[in-house]
Amino acid sequence: MSSELFADEAETNDGACPVVESIEQVGSKWRLVVLHELQNGERRFNELKRATDASSRTLSRVLDDLQETGFVERRLEEDAPVATYYRLTPKGESLCPVFDEITAWAEEWLSSCEGSAKSPNSADD
């Protein structure tokens, strides 16, 4: 009986594989925050640190992960003062419409988002 149950679960999850794989690549809180912040263009490490409120260690790890997975590219400016810049790759830029859709969904469905989201059944419509 339990093997049948696991077989049914495996069949059900087959359709979700692209979703699961996508979330595994971009799904951590910090990855999403950094990717979202980089939609505004190339940023220096310290600008990202201030904008995301991440610790240096966390931000460094996340940027390394995003660079390794091809979402972000790094540019080193060696003129004084030395600075490291990060920007989205085409793969990272392809997530911008996804962020727009998530924002629209959150504004509609999450009342804690900006404190005034309306229910779709609201009488104000």
Side-chain angles (χ1 to χ4, degrees):
M1 175 74 176
S2 64
S3 63
E4 291 173 12
L5 180 60
F6 290 130
D8 288 346
E9 285 181 19
E11 288 175 18
T12 302
N13 290 335
D14 283 346
C17 279
V19 172
V20 171
E21 289 176 25
S22 300
I23 297 300
E24 286 175 355
Q25 288 227 342
V26 297
S28 82
K29 170 190 169 184
W30 289 112
R31 285 181 186 182
L32 290 170
V33 168
V34 169
L35 288 167
H36 187 263
E37 197 58 43
L38 286 172
Q39 287 184 103
N40 300 321
E42 185 176 69
R43 305 285 292 272
R44 292 176 67 160
F45 182 89
N46 286 333
E47 291 173 320
L48 284 170
K49 187 173 182 285
R50 279 190 300 275
T52 62
D53 208 25
S55 70
S56 293
R57 182 174 181 221
T58 296
L59 183 57
S60 181
R61 181 182 44 84
V62 168
L63 286 166
D64 287 347
D65 289 347
L66 290 171
Q67 187 177 0
E68 188 175 301
T69 54
F71 289 102
V72 169
E73 58 189 17
R74 182 179 106 145
R75 179 174 66 87
L76 185 61
E77 186 76 37
E78 295 187 18
D79 296 336
V82 175
T84 306
Y85 293 85
Y86 295 89
R87 68 175 171 244
L88 295 176
T89 63
K91 181 179 178 180
E93 289 174 352
S94 71
L95 289 171
C96 292
V98 175
F99 282 113
D100 293 342
E101 288 297 318
I102 291 171
T103 299
W105 179 86
E107 288 171 352
E108 181 175 348
W109 293 99
L110 302 179
S111 61
S112 64
C113 212
E114 297 186 30
S116 63
K118 291 191 293 184
S119 158
N121 299 325
S122 159
D124 294 342
D125 292 347

